[in-house]
Amino acid sequence: MEVKKTAKADLEKDKSLNLLIGLVIALAIIFVGFEYGEREIEVAMDSGIANVVDEDEIEITRQEEPPPPPPEPEVIKTPEILEIVEDNIKVEDVAIETEDDANKAQVDVFVAPVAAEEEEEDENFVFVTVEKMPEFPGGQNALLKWIADHVSYPPIAAENGIQGRVSCNFVVNADGSVQDVQVVRPVDPNLDKEAIRVLKLLPKFKPGEQRGKPVRVKYSVPVRFRLQQ
Protein backbone atom coordinates (compact mmCIF):
# COMPACT_ATOMS: atom_id res chain seq x y z
CA MET A 1 0.00 0.00 0.00
CA GLU A 2 1.49 3.35 -0.97
CA VAL A 3 1.89 5.93 1.81
CA LYS A 4 0.43 9.27 0.84
CA LYS A 5 1.89 12.51 2.18
CA THR A 6 -0.35 15.43 3.06
CA ALA A 7 0.52 18.99 2.23
CA LYS A 8 0.61 19.95 5.92
CA ALA A 9 3.11 17.24 6.71
CA ASP A 10 5.62 18.46 4.13
CA LEU A 11 8.67 19.76 6.06
CA GLU A 12 10.53 21.05 3.00
CA LYS A 13 7.77 23.51 2.22
CA ASP A 14 8.89 26.39 4.73
CA LYS A 15 12.62 25.59 4.90
CA SER A 16 13.82 28.70 3.08
CA LEU A 17 11.53 30.96 5.08
CA ASN A 18 12.77 29.62 8.38
CA LEU A 19 16.37 30.04 7.24
CA LEU A 20 15.73 33.68 6.34
CA ILE A 21 14.07 34.38 9.68
CA GLY A 22 17.05 32.84 11.50
CA LEU A 23 19.51 35.04 9.60
CA VAL A 24 17.48 38.13 10.41
CA ILE A 25 17.40 37.25 14.09
CA ALA A 26 21.18 36.56 14.12
CA LEU A 27 21.91 39.90 12.44
CA ALA A 28 19.65 41.65 14.89
CA ILE A 29 21.53 40.11 17.80
CA ILE A 30 24.91 41.11 16.31
CA PHE A 31 23.67 44.67 15.71
CA VAL A 32 22.39 44.96 19.25
CA GLY A 33 25.78 43.72 20.51
CA PHE A 34 27.64 46.38 18.56
CA GLU A 35 25.29 49.10 19.77
CA TYR A 36 25.73 48.03 23.38
CA GLY A 37 29.56 48.09 23.12
CA GLU A 38 29.61 51.56 21.58
CA ARG A 39 27.41 52.93 24.34
CA GLU A 40 29.77 51.67 27.02
CA ILE A 41 32.68 53.34 25.28
CA GLU A 42 30.80 56.61 25.04
CA VAL A 43 29.83 56.52 28.68
CA ALA A 44 33.45 55.93 29.71
CA MET A 45 34.59 58.84 27.55
CA ASP A 46 31.88 61.12 28.94
CA SER A 47 32.86 60.30 32.56
CA GLY A 48 36.46 61.25 31.79
CA ILE A 49 35.53 64.52 30.17
CA ALA A 50 33.27 65.48 33.11
CA ASN A 51 36.33 66.01 35.34
CA VAL A 52 37.87 68.60 33.02
CA VAL A 53 37.50 72.20 34.32
CA ASP A 54 35.84 74.61 31.98
CA GLU A 55 38.36 76.92 30.37
CA ASP A 56 36.15 79.96 31.05
CA GLU A 57 36.41 79.35 34.83
CA ILE A 58 40.26 79.55 34.89
CA GLU A 59 41.47 82.97 35.91
CA ILE A 60 44.26 84.18 33.71
CA THR A 61 47.06 85.76 35.80
CA ARG A 62 49.91 87.65 34.31
CA GLN A 63 53.20 88.00 36.18
CA GLU A 64 54.40 91.56 36.19
CA GLU A 65 57.95 91.98 35.04
CA PRO A 66 60.24 93.47 37.76
CA PRO A 67 61.45 97.00 37.09
CA PRO A 68 64.98 97.22 35.76
CA PRO A 69 67.65 97.98 38.39
CA PRO A 70 68.80 101.60 38.65
CA PRO A 71 71.95 102.37 36.77
CA GLU A 72 75.13 102.25 38.82
CA PRO A 73 76.70 105.66 39.49
CA GLU A 74 79.70 106.32 37.40
CA VAL A 75 82.94 106.38 39.34
CA ILE A 76 85.19 109.16 38.25
CA LYS A 77 88.75 108.02 38.41
CA THR A 78 91.22 110.71 39.35
CA PRO A 79 94.56 110.45 37.71
CA GLU A 80 97.35 109.40 40.02
CA ILE A 81 99.94 112.05 40.67
CA LEU A 82 103.42 110.70 40.45
CA GLU A 83 105.95 112.51 42.57
CA ILE A 84 109.40 112.55 41.08
CA VAL A 85 112.14 112.12 43.65
CA GLU A 86 115.60 113.27 42.90
CA ASP A 87 118.31 110.66 43.00
CA ASN A 88 120.68 112.80 45.05
CA ILE A 89 118.54 112.55 48.26
CA LYS A 90 120.36 110.62 50.95
CA VAL A 91 118.47 107.87 52.68
CA GLU A 92 119.12 107.63 56.40
CA ASP A 93 120.49 104.37 57.66
CA VAL A 94 117.90 102.16 59.29
CA ALA A 95 118.98 100.90 62.68
CA ILE A 96 118.65 97.14 62.97
CA GLU A 97 117.29 96.16 66.36
CA THR A 98 118.94 93.11 67.80
CA GLU A 99 117.40 90.63 70.23
CA ASP A 100 119.47 92.03 73.10
CA ASP A 101 118.23 95.54 72.39
CA ALA A 102 114.63 94.31 72.33
CA ASN A 103 115.06 92.57 75.68
CA LYS A 104 116.69 95.68 77.14
CA ALA A 105 113.87 97.88 75.90
CA GLN A 106 111.31 95.49 77.32
CA VAL A 107 113.02 95.56 80.70
CA ASP A 108 113.19 99.36 80.64
CA VAL A 109 109.51 99.74 79.72
CA PHE A 110 108.20 97.18 82.25
CA VAL A 111 107.02 98.81 85.42
CA ALA A 112 106.32 96.64 88.43
CA PRO A 113 102.73 96.98 89.69
CA VAL A 114 102.36 99.03 92.80
CA ALA A 115 101.22 96.86 95.67
CA ALA A 116 97.97 98.06 97.13
CA GLU A 117 98.47 99.41 100.58
CA GLU A 118 96.60 97.42 103.17
CA GLU A 119 94.05 99.44 104.99
CA GLU A 120 94.89 99.87 108.60
CA GLU A 121 92.40 98.07 110.77
CA ASP A 122 90.58 100.08 113.38
CA GLU A 123 92.03 99.22 116.76
CA ASN A 124 88.61 99.65 118.37
CA PHE A 125 86.90 97.21 116.01
CA VAL A 126 85.61 94.11 117.81
CA PHE A 127 85.79 90.80 115.95
CA VAL A 128 83.32 87.99 116.50
CA THR A 129 85.47 85.26 114.96
CA VAL A 130 89.19 85.43 114.28
CA GLU A 131 91.92 83.10 113.10
CA LYS A 132 93.00 82.52 116.71
CA MET A 133 90.45 83.00 119.49
CA PRO A 134 91.37 84.36 122.94
CA GLU A 135 92.41 81.75 125.48
CA PHE A 136 92.19 81.77 129.29
CA PRO A 137 95.33 80.58 131.08
CA GLY A 138 94.81 76.84 131.52
CA GLY A 139 91.95 76.57 129.00
CA GLN A 140 88.14 76.58 129.18
CA ASN A 141 87.88 74.25 132.18
CA ALA A 142 90.23 76.46 134.15
CA LEU A 143 88.02 79.46 133.32
CA LEU A 144 84.84 77.77 134.58
CA LYS A 145 86.59 76.66 137.77
CA TRP A 146 87.91 80.17 138.42
CA ILE A 147 84.36 81.60 138.05
CA ALA A 148 82.88 78.97 140.40
CA ASP A 149 85.54 79.69 143.03
CA HIS A 150 84.89 83.44 142.99
CA VAL A 151 81.08 83.52 142.81
CA SER A 152 79.16 84.47 145.96
CA TYR A 153 75.60 83.21 145.91
CA PRO A 154 73.22 86.12 146.60
CA PRO A 155 71.40 85.47 149.92
CA ILE A 156 68.01 86.67 148.61
CA ALA A 157 68.22 84.29 145.61
CA ALA A 158 69.29 81.45 147.88
CA GLU A 159 66.35 82.07 150.30
CA ASN A 160 63.90 82.05 147.39
CA GLY A 161 65.50 78.95 145.85
CA ILE A 162 66.42 80.77 142.61
CA GLN A 163 69.09 79.11 140.53
CA GLY A 164 70.10 78.86 136.86
CA ARG A 165 72.68 79.77 134.27
CA VAL A 166 73.35 83.39 133.33
CA SER A 167 74.75 83.71 129.78
CA CYS A 168 77.19 86.60 129.45
CA ASN A 169 79.67 87.97 126.96
CA PHE A 170 82.54 90.44 127.15
CA VAL A 171 85.35 91.84 125.02
CA VAL A 172 88.91 90.57 125.33
CA ASN A 173 91.15 93.49 124.39
CA ALA A 174 94.36 93.27 122.39
CA ASP A 175 96.31 93.26 125.68
CA GLY A 176 94.17 90.40 127.09
CA SER A 177 92.14 92.46 129.55
CA VAL A 178 88.34 92.02 129.90
CA GLN A 179 85.95 94.88 129.10
CA ASP A 180 82.23 95.54 128.40
CA VAL A 181 80.70 92.67 130.37
CA GLN A 182 77.02 92.16 129.44
CA VAL A 183 74.24 89.72 130.29
CA VAL A 184 72.79 88.06 127.18
CA ARG A 185 70.27 85.68 128.82
CA PRO A 186 69.25 86.82 132.32
CA VAL A 187 67.81 84.60 135.10
CA ASP A 188 67.33 86.90 138.13
CA PRO A 189 68.50 90.48 138.76
CA ASN A 190 70.53 89.39 141.81
CA LEU A 191 72.17 86.51 139.94
CA ASP A 192 72.79 88.69 136.86
CA LYS A 193 74.49 91.38 139.02
CA GLU A 194 76.76 88.80 140.68
CA ALA A 195 77.75 87.31 137.30
CA ILE A 196 78.81 90.73 135.99
CA ARG A 197 80.83 91.43 139.17
CA VAL A 198 82.76 88.16 138.91
CA LEU A 199 83.55 88.46 135.18
CA LYS A 200 84.99 91.95 135.67
CA LEU A 201 87.54 90.40 138.01
CA LEU A 202 88.83 87.91 135.41
CA PRO A 203 92.62 87.87 134.92
CA LYS A 204 94.08 88.62 131.52
CA PHE A 205 93.52 86.25 128.60
CA LYS A 206 95.90 85.37 125.85
CA PRO A 207 94.51 87.79 123.22
CA GLY A 208 93.00 86.68 119.95
CA GLU A 209 94.92 87.19 116.67
CA GLN A 210 93.96 88.09 113.14
CA ARG A 211 96.66 88.02 110.44
CA GLY A 212 99.25 87.58 113.15
CA LYS A 213 98.22 90.72 115.04
CA PRO A 214 96.40 90.86 118.41
CA VAL A 215 92.88 92.25 118.07
CA ARG A 216 89.77 92.80 120.19
CA VAL A 217 87.42 89.79 120.20
CA LYS A 218 83.99 89.21 121.72
CA TYR A 219 83.92 86.22 124.07
CA SER A 220 80.93 84.35 125.59
CA VAL A 221 80.80 82.38 128.81
CA PRO A 222 78.03 81.01 131.10
CA VAL A 223 77.91 81.63 134.87
CA ARG A 224 76.09 78.81 136.70
CA PHE A 225 74.25 79.28 139.98
CA ARG A 226 73.19 76.03 141.67
CA LEU A 227 72.03 75.44 145.20
CA GLN A 228 73.48 72.47 147.07
CA GLN A 229 70.90 70.12 148.50
Side-chain angles (χ1 to χ4, degrees):
M1 182 175 178
E2 185 179 357
V3 180
K4 292 184 180 181
K5 299 180 180 179
T6 61
K8 293 180 181 181
D10 189 5
L11 297 176
E12 297 293 334
K13 181 180 179 180
D14 298 328
K15 182 178 181 181
S16 61
L17 181 59
N18 292 332
L19 180 61
L20 181 61
I21 292 170
L23 290 173
V24 172
I25 292 171
L27 291 173
I29 292 171
I30 293 171
F31 179 74
V32 172
F34 278 114
E35 288 292 329
Y36 182 74
E38 291 178 0
R39 287 180 182 177
E40 287 183 351
I41 293 172
E42 290 179 359
V43 171
M45 294 177 64
D46 292 341
S47 62
I49 295 171
N51 295 327
V52 180
V53 181
D54 190 359
E55 293 182 357
D56 296 337
E57 296 180 0
I58 299 175
E59 184 180 356
I60 300 173
T61 57
R62 295 180 180 179
Q63 185 176 2
E64 297 182 359
E65 296 182 358
E72 297 181 358
E74 295 182 359
V75 180
I76 301 174
K77 296 183 178 180
T78 56
E80 298 180 357
I81 301 174
L82 300 177
E83 183 179 356
I84 301 173
V85 182
E86 297 180 0
D87 295 337
N88 57 359
I89 296 176
K90 295 182 179 180
V91 180
E92 296 180 357
D93 296 336
V94 179
I96 300 174
E97 185 179 0
T98 62
E99 186 176 357
D100 295 336
D101 295 337
N103 294 334
K104 183 179 179 182
Q106 187 176 4
V107 172
D108 294 339
V109 172
F110 177 76
V111 178
V114 179
E117 296 181 358
E118 295 183 359
E119 296 181 358
E120 294 183 359
E121 296 178 354
D122 187 4
E123 294 181 356
N124 296 324
F125 182 78
V126 178
F127 290 85
V128 178
T129 58
V130 290
E131 296 173 355
K132 190 175 181 180
M133 292 294 292
E135 185 178 353
F136 186 80
Q140 185 70 12
N141 293 331
L143 172 62
L144 297 177
K145 186 178 183 302
W146 187 96
I147 294 173
D149 293 341
H150 291 76
V151 164
S152 297
Y153 214 108
I156 298 176
E159 291 176 1
N160 295 325
I162 300 173
Q163 59 183 357
R165 183 176 68 177
V166 181
S167 297
C168 303
N169 61 24
F170 49 86
V171 175
V172 178
N173 293 319
D175 60 353
S177 61
V178 175
Q179 185 180 358
D180 299 335
V181 181
Q182 297 177 352
V183 175
V184 179
R185 185 175 298 175
V187 175
D188 178 78
N190 296 310
L191 299 182
D192 299 343
K193 184 176 179 181
E194 178 63 17
I196 294 174
R197 184 192 71 82
V198 171
L199 294 179
K200 287 183 177 180
L201 298 176
L202 283 170
K204 287 187 176 183
F205 283 66
K206 185 178 181 180
E209 295 183 2
Q210 181 72 8
R211 298 178 183 176
K213 295 174 59 178
V215 291
R216 302 180 72 203
V217 184
K218 184 170 288 188
Y219 196 93
S220 300
V221 65
V223 180
R224 294 181 177 88
F225 292 89
R226 186 172 57 182
L227 294 172
Q228 295 181 357
Q229 298 178 354

